Structures are given as C-alpha cells and as structure tokens.
C-alpha cells in the first residue's frame, strides 16, 4: 500500500508542476456540462473550456449520531486528479482517485458498502477496518463527420477491505462499466444521442479464524429487511465456509441503453439497465437477483439577471427480486456434486426517487445549489412460509449550499441540510401458522439501529473557508456537524489542491 501511495503522490506533484495558468474551479466547469454527468460522453463537446485539477484531502469523523453500521470514529486520506481537454476534432475527460480509510470500533456489514447487493453478511466483533479504493474514469468524444460524434467512457473502481481481529476477513470488490455512444447534431440546435451500457460488479468476502480461543463467532446472513439466518460463521446456512468455494462470492452483469435529447437549453435523458446477479460460484449458486432500473432526467439551462441557472429533475425506479435456491449434494461414482432442485423468491424491493434541483452562479461572485429529494423504498419479505413481511420507508430531505467569493483569494461555502424518514413495517401470515413453527428470524438489533436512524429527524450545517493563492493553488478547511435526537456527528477536514 505504501509503495502505491508514494507513486500516486509523485504523479500528482509532477502533474501540478507542468501547468501554471490561471483557471476557474474545476467543479464549476464540470457541473455545467450535463453530458459529463450523464451516460453519453459523446456530447461533452458542447463545452469548450480546458481545465484540470489535483488535490490532497484528509478528514476525520466522530460522534454517535450515526447508523449502526458506521464506526464511532474514522479518518481518510484521498488523492484526486481530473482533467477536461478539448481539441479541434476531439475532447477527452479523465479522473483518478485513491482513498485510504481507517475505521475504529467497526463491525456489522462485511461488504465494502451497505446495500451494494441485496444480500450481505453481518458480524458483531468491534475492531479496526482498513479500506483502500482505487478508481479512474476515462472518456473521449470525436467528430467523425459534420453532424456526427462518437464517444466512449470507461469507469473502473477496485476496493480492498480488511479487518484483522478475532473473526478476521478480507473483501475485494470491483466495478467496471463501458458506455459507447453516438450523437447526431441536427438543425437549429437540436442534438440527439444514444449509448449502450455494459458493466460488471463483483465482490468476494473471505473469512478465517486463527487459533482456538473457545469462542463461537456468529454472523447474520441478511436477506432483506433484516430477515435472514443467524448462525456460527462456519454454518451451512450462511455460506462463509463452503467446501470447494472461495469465500462468499457475489457478481452482477448489467447491460442497457440510454437516449438523450438536447435543444436550446433543454436537456432530457432516459435510460434502462438490466442486471443479473448471483451469489456463489460453480455449481453452488445460493441466490440469484435480477434487477431492472429506469432513470430519467429533465434539465433546463438559462441565463437571467446575470446568473447562469440550471433547473433539473431526476427520476429513478429500481426493482430487485431475490431468489434463494434449493441445493443438495449428490454422490455418483464416488464424485460429489451439487444439484439444484428449484428456487423461491425471498425478497422483493422497489426504490422510487424524485430529485428536483437548482444550480445557479454568477462567475467570480457566487454559486448556489438547492436539492430536494423524495424517496420511497418498498420491501416484501417471504423468507419463510406462511409469514410475509411488508415494509415501506419514505424519505424526505433538503440540501442547500452557497459559495460566496469575497475577494479573488477568499471564498466561503456554507451548507444547511435536513431530513426525515417515515416507516411502516408489519409481519403477516397468509393463513394460520403451522403448529410449532416460529416466525422467521430477524436481527432486531440491526433492524432497530436502521429504524432509529431513518425515522429520526436530522439537521446539520457546514462551514468551509477557502484561500486561493496567486498560482491557483488553494487551501480549504471544512467542518460539518449533524444533529439527530440527543446525538451528533462531526466531520472535519483539510484540502490542498490546484486548478490549472
């Protein structure tokens, strides 16, 4: 890890030393180009400003106003480098990020990110976690004819996670997506584009126990809505130690398409993504989870009262079904293989979101962002017949930030945010319960932590002073505090960067 960190630092400072011209902030230029945030990078040539940035960032987080899965305290160090370059016939975009995170007193989810997949494993021994994430994005747009552009974008991220205490484990995750696209430049400012989406996500959790300390370490296999299996980590129901299988592997292949329309400041995009996921490998596929995702965005860009304004509304629907298979080991001719007899759906989840936003700025004076969000998560758990659980979580939030440039050197960003969740959760039976049969197991500690965090109203604010030197290097200090029901969470950090 240290060798990679030193190489990244050296590359960062070499890039900084190659440029010295005056430039605006990188985020301002990137955010105004809707194609960089969308799926079809072929349209990025709608802008023409060349700009790059590099930064070193460090932050520290502490406080008890947190989700149950979050550690009491953590710190992180990250390196970032970004560039947007336009030439006469082509444009390019590139970004690199390395983040090192150290968490203290961490436990619960063994995956690199909660809700990354519909299946997860929880463990309950507090300890230190180390996580490293490497990511890069690369894209190009080329004029191939008077009215046609071709483009392609590649996004890649790899994450390593390790916890070396008691029931120790490592986790490796990878995400890769390729988006080739085309854009037609029509008359009177009408532009139409389309692109394909091809991606793969994977993750493998490998657990081990060194020595014999006569302690039983239990884990919880989460199958949605905190229903699942609670067992010794070597038990057959949680699949952490299966014969012939390397750990707990998860993979997901995705494919889809998107279309865009751009006309005189009006931008619209619609995309569909289909993903097929599985948990297990070889002849031992324990779960399958097909996913259907629909996204739409409507954006209008205008200039009024010497201000640039971007009004945008994003829509999202994501539906996931989780199927658990029935397997048995069959021995024929001295060879033991697993045979699949069928599967049943144990969880269904639908997520719907509406996010209106307003971004405005007066170059060199101020910038502002207002974001509202309404999100609904509906779940149906059928892990054990004849019981079924129904859950609905409605989440409302508002986030407003304002960045004021007092002088050429000094700027101050302030942000306020608040939100509240509303939860309905109930367990039913389709008929009279089978005699002697208990209700399905639910990890009530994990469920209560989630319920308290989501249901509790919260509010917070941040303050970020920034000083920019003459050569466009800047130093930034920020502090954010979030308050929720007699508890708080504080995040502080320092950034040193360069826009060129």
């Amino acid at each position: 890890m240290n060798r990679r960190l030193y190489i990244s630092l050296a590359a960062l400072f070499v890039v900084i030393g190659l440029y010295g011209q005056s430039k605006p902030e990188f985020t301002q230029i990137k955010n105004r180009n809707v194609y960089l945030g969308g799926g079809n990078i072929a349209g990025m040539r709608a802008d023409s400003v060349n700009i790059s940035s590099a930064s070193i960032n460090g932050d520290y987080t502490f406080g008890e106003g947190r989700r149950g899965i979050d550690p009491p305290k953590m710190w992180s160090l990250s390196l970032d480098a970004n560039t947007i370059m336009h030439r006469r016939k082509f444009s390019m975009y590139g970004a690199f990020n390395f983040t090192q995170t150290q968490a203290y007193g961490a436990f619960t989810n063994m995956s690199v990110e909660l809700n990354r997949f519909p299946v997860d494993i929880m463990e309950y021994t507090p300890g230190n976690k180390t996580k490293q994430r490497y990511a890069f994005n690369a894209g190009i747009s080329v004029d191939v004819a008077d009215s046609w552009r071709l483009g392609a974008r590649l996004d890649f991220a790899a994450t390593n996670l390790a916890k070396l205490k008691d029931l120790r484990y490592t986790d490796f995750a990878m995400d890769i997506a390729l988006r080739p696209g085309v854009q037609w430049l029509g008359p009177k400012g009408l532009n139409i584009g389309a692109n394909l989406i091809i991606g793969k996500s994977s993750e493998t959790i490998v657990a081990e126990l060194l020595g014999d300390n006569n302690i039983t370490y239990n884990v919880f296999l989460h199958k949605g809505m905190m229903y699942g299996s609670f067992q010794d980590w070597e038990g057959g129901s949680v699949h952490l130690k299966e014969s012939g299988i390397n750990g707990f592997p998860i993979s997901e292949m995705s494919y889809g398409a998107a279309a865009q329309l751009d006309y005189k400041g009006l931008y619209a995009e619609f995309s569909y993504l289909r993903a097929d996921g599985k948990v297990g490998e070889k002849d031992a596929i324990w779960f399958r989870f097909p996913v259907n995702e629909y996204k739409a965005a409507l954006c209008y860009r205008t200039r009024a009262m010497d201000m640039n304004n971007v009004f945008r509304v994003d829509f999202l629907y994501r539906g996931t079904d989780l199927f658990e298979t029935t397997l048995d080991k069959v021995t024929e001719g001295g060879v033991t293989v697993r045979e699949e007899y069928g599967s049943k759906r144990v969880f269904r989840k639908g997520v719907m979101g509406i996010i209106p936003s307003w971004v405005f700025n007066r170059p060199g004076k101020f910038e502002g962002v207002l974001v509202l969000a309404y999100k609904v998560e509906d779940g149906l758990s059928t892990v054990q017949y004849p019981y079924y659980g129904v859950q609905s979580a409605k989440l409302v939030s508002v986030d407003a930030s304002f960045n004021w440039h007092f002088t050429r050197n000094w700027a101050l960003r302030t942000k306020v945010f608040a939100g509240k969740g509303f939860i309905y959760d109930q367990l039913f039976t389709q008929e009279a319960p089978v005699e002697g049969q208990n209700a399905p197991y639910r990890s009530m500690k994990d469920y209560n932590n989630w319920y308290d965090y989501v249901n509790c109203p919260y509010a917070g604010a941040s303050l970020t002073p920034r000083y920019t030197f003459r050569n466009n290097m800047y130093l930034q200090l920020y502090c954010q505090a979030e308050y929720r029901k007699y508890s708080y969470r504080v995040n502080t950090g320092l950034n040193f960067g360069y826009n060129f």
Side-chain angles (χ1 to χ4, degrees):
M1 173 265 165
N2 289 334
R3 183 170 61 88
R4 293 178 180 177
L5 178 59
Y6 297 150
I7 293 174
S8 300
L9 281 169
L12 180 66
F13 287 114
V14 167
V15 171
I16 289 176
L18 293 178
Y19 297 87
Q21 57 204 41
S22 178
K23 291 288 183 180
E25 291 186 20
F26 179 87
T27 53
Q28 296 177 19
I29 304 302
K30 180 184 175 183
N31 291 341
R32 77 184 190 185
N33 193 331
V34 293
Y35 288 96
L36 287 177
N40 190 0
I41 202 168
M44 71 173 290
R45 288 180 59 74
D47 203 348
S48 60
V49 176
N50 297 316
I51 190 168
S52 301
S53 73
S55 64
I56 303 174
N57 319 288
D59 66 75
Y60 179 68
T61 304
F62 63 95
E64 291 303 319
R66 57 191 175 94
R67 298 177 298 175
I69 66 165
D70 293 331
K73 57 183 179 179
M74 59 185 293
W75 65 261
S76 66
L77 174 68
S78 65
L79 308 174
D80 290 278
N82 308 270
T83 187
I84 299 172
M85 184 182 69
H86 299 279
R87 292 295 182 261
R88 191 171 66 90
K89 290 290 186 179
F90 67 94
S91 299
M92 294 192 298
Y93 166 73
F96 168 80
N97 169 265
F98 167 78
T99 302
Q100 169 80 25
T101 303
Q102 185 74 27
Y104 300 93
F107 58 101
T108 62
N109 65 300
M110 298 175 73
S111 62
V112 296
E113 182 181 338
L114 187 68
N115 296 326
R116 173 176 162 85
F117 298 113
V119 178
D120 203 347
I121 297 181
M122 310 288 196
E123 53 88 18
Y124 303 97
T125 307
N128 298 340
K129 284 186 179 181
T130 299
K131 182 166 71 172
Q132 299 173 352
R133 183 179 186 270
Y134 305 86
F136 72 84
N137 315 98
I140 186 170
S141 173
V142 182
D143 293 333
V144 294
D146 290 341
S147 300
W148 292 94
R149 290 171 177 160
L150 295 179
R153 174 168 176 161
L154 178 66
D155 299 316
F156 174 84
T159 306
N160 301 309
L161 175 67
K163 182 177 181 181
L164 305 179
K165 177 178 173 62
D166 300 325
L167 180 58
R168 56 184 61 203
Y169 63 89
T170 58
D171 186 8
F172 175 75
M174 185 187 70
D175 299 277
I176 187 169
L178 176 64
R179 295 179 175 88
V182 60
Q183 186 184 44
W184 175 66
L185 308 179
K188 299 181 180 180
L190 174 64
N191 302 321
I192 298 176
N195 66 278
L196 299 177
I197 308 169
I198 306 168
K200 180 181 181 180
S201 297
S202 61
E203 185 168 353
T204 302
I205 302 170
V206 179
E208 63 177 341
L209 182 61
L210 301 182
D212 185 9
N213 53 12
N214 297 320
I215 299 177
T216 299
Y217 293 99
N218 294 320
V219 298
F220 172 60
L221 177 60
H222 179 213
K223 304 177 186 179
M225 293 169 52
M226 296 304 170
Y227 289 102
S229 302
F230 183 82
Q231 199 176 35
D232 179 276
W233 77 280
E234 294 182 306
S237 297
V238 294
H239 307 298
L240 266 180
K241 195 172 184 179
E242 288 272 353
S243 176
I245 305 297
N246 180 30
F248 189 80
I250 310 174
S251 63
E252 181 183 70
M253 290 292 301
S254 57
Y255 43 90
Q260 305 84 26
L261 184 146
D262 189 358
Y263 180 68
K264 293 184 178 180
L266 180 66
Y267 174 82
E269 179 171 7
F270 176 80
S271 66
Y272 167 73
L273 186 70
R274 165 74 181 193
D276 292 306
K278 63 181 181 180
V279 182
E281 63 182 19
K282 301 176 183 177
D283 60 347
I285 306 300
W286 308 307
F287 298 93
R288 293 184 177 90
F289 52 95
V291 179
N292 292 283
E293 181 180 272
Y294 304 86
K295 287 184 178 180
L298 184 63
C299 177
Y300 182 67
R301 295 157 289 176
T302 183
R303 183 175 177 85
M305 296 182 295
D306 295 329
M307 285 199 317
N308 299 313
N309 299 274
V310 179
F311 301 94
R312 181 178 177 120
V313 182
D314 289 274
F315 304 91
L316 163 70
Y317 177 79
R318 182 179 177 90
T320 305
D321 290 300
L322 178 64
F323 294 89
E324 185 172 12
T325 60
T326 301
L327 301 173
D328 191 19
K329 292 183 178 181
V330 179
T331 301
E332 296 181 357
V335 178
T336 300
V337 297
R338 297 177 180 86
E339 189 169 313
E340 182 176 329
Y341 290 100
S343 64
K344 67 171 184 176
R345 190 181 66 200
V346 295
F347 180 52
R348 166 174 284 181
K349 183 177 182 179
V351 178
M352 186 273 292
I354 302 176
I355 307 174
S357 63
W358 174 32
V359 179
F360 57 92
N361 76 81
R362 181 176 292 173
K365 298 295 184 180
F366 58 80
E367 304 96 33
V369 180
L370 176 63
V371 180
L372 306 175
Y374 176 72
K375 185 179 179 182
V376 179
E377 297 184 5
D378 292 324
L380 174 65
S381 177
T382 54
V383 296
Q384 181 178 306
Y385 178 85
Y387 295 92
Y388 65 96
V390 177
Q391 184 181 94
S392 179
K394 298 178 174 63
L395 313 172
V396 182
S397 65
V398 58
D399 189 312
S401 64
F402 190 82
N403 188 23
W404 183 269
H405 297 270
F406 293 106
T407 67
R408 184 186 182 279
N409 303 104
W410 283 102
L412 179 66
R413 181 184 298 275
T414 59
K415 183 172 81 167
V416 293
F417 56 94
K420 173 74 171 70
F422 305 88
I423 299 174
Y424 170 81
D425 191 287
Q426 191 67 46
L427 182 65
F428 299 94
T429 57
Q430 296 179 359
E431 55 187 40
V434 179
E435 184 177 352
Q437 182 173 339
N438 296 323
Y441 179 82
R442 191 176 211 180
S443 178
M444 291 308 301
K445 180 178 180 181
D446 293 311
Y447 172 76
N448 290 334
N449 285 334
W450 170 83
Y451 183 93
D452 291 342
Y453 184 84
V454 173
N455 192 62
C456 180
Y458 68 90
S462 68
L463 196 66
T464 309
R466 176 180 180 137
Y467 182 80
T468 303
F469 302 93
R470 288 188 177 183
N471 57 1
N472 258 353
M473 290 187 178
Y474 65 86
L475 188 64
Q476 179 174 280
L477 174 69
Y478 66 91
C479 181
Q480 175 176 296
E482 179 180 320
Y483 177 80
R484 56 175 74 222
K485 197 177 181 178
Y486 313 121
S487 61
Y488 64 90
R489 188 77 164 168
V490 176
N491 176 240
T492 62
L494 185 67
N495 308 109
F496 174 71
Y498 184 31
N499 288 298
F500 53 95

